[in-house]
Amino acid sequence: MVYRILVFTQKSILSIPQEVIQDDLLKVNFHSLGEQYGLDPSQVEAAKSNLEVHMSKDGKLPYFFIRYNQEQMRPIVVHEWELVSDKGKKILGDLLHVIDDPEVIKRLPGFNYLMEIELAPSQLKDMGLLLAYEIARWAAAQGVGLVLGLDKTWYRLNRHQAFIPINDNNI
């Protein structure tokens, strides 16, 4: 089984060099975020020292992956599609049938790209969870986007780049 975080953006993320993505991810406060996600703090240093972003060669394939653990363990895989592509249309069409939040439906036509961050079940219990959400936060900030989290809640970022549920009227 694969778990997915979706990020809808106005701009493509794949044009950003892998070194920039990697450097930005290394600036994350792994300790405090790991605590928020209930992750084992002893995994932090290994994840940071093994963190590598790998883009597809020559940009022909719309994905990148992030290794943060030993080489033989599954990396986090991130796909990006234009919403006008066959895959983008299919995912968006499937989502539109189950979205019941009018605010989300109103905002979706403003996006051009869709990122899909894939996690295996084991990655929900290690630093993969933290990194997947930080990739989503980073992409939403870079691409002025919306995030559909693992909890099926739609989020936007506030001015401090914190996740805020779309339907939170107290903001």
Side-chain angles (χ1 to χ4, degrees):
M1 177 173 212
V2 174
Y3 293 87
R4 293 174 174 85
I5 298 172
L6 300 179
V7 185
F8 290 81
T9 62
Q10 295 175 15
K11 299 186 267 184
S12 173
I13 303 307
L14 289 180
S15 60
I16 298 171
Q18 68 188 35
E19 297 82 18
V20 171
I21 299 170
Q22 185 169 317
D23 289 346
D24 287 350
L25 286 174
L26 285 169
K27 292 176 186 171
V28 168
N29 188 330
F30 281 71
H31 289 285
S32 66
L33 289 170
E35 188 175 306
Q36 287 178 22
Y37 290 118
L39 301 174
D40 180 357
S42 70
Q43 298 175 354
V44 169
E45 291 313 312
K48 287 177 78 171
S49 64
N50 290 308
L51 185 74
E52 294 178 355
V53 174
H54 298 275
M55 303 291 266
S56 65
K57 301 286 187 226
D58 67 26
K60 289 186 180 175
L61 297 173
Y63 80 93
F64 63 94
F65 65 90
I66 298 164
R67 290 206 179 280
Y68 62 95
N69 48 27
Q70 295 135 355
E71 201 64 31
Q72 67 271 24
M73 295 179 76
R74 184 184 193 280
I76 297 170
V77 180
V78 182
H79 297 274
E80 179 184 85
W81 294 283
E82 289 187 60
L83 284 174
V84 296
S85 71
D86 290 341
K87 182 72 172 185
K89 285 179 188 175
K90 179 176 180 354
I91 294 171
L92 181 58
D94 291 347
L95 272 176
L96 288 174
H97 286 55
V98 296
I99 298 172
D100 59 359
D101 187 326
E103 184 64 26
V104 172
I105 293 169
K106 181 176 87 174
R107 290 178 185 221
L108 283 178
F111 298 110
N112 301 313
Y113 296 90
L114 166 63
M115 284 184 59
E116 182 180 59
I117 304 163
E118 294 182 1
L119 292 163
S122 62
Q123 292 173 306
L124 298 176
K125 299 175 186 128
D126 69 15
M127 289 295 146
L129 178 65
L130 181 152
L131 286 166
Y133 269 108
E134 288 311 301
I135 294 161
R137 180 191 322 273
W138 178 86
Q142 298 294 315
V144 191
L146 287 183
V147 175
L148 177 59
L150 293 171
D151 60 357
K152 304 300 182 220
T153 300
W154 286 89
Y155 297 96
R156 66 175 177 82
L157 300 182
N158 69 10
R159 67 175 187 234
H160 304 291
Q161 295 188 357
F163 287 116
I164 305 295
I166 289 284
N167 56 8
D168 188 342
N169 296 323
N170 298 321
I171 302 164

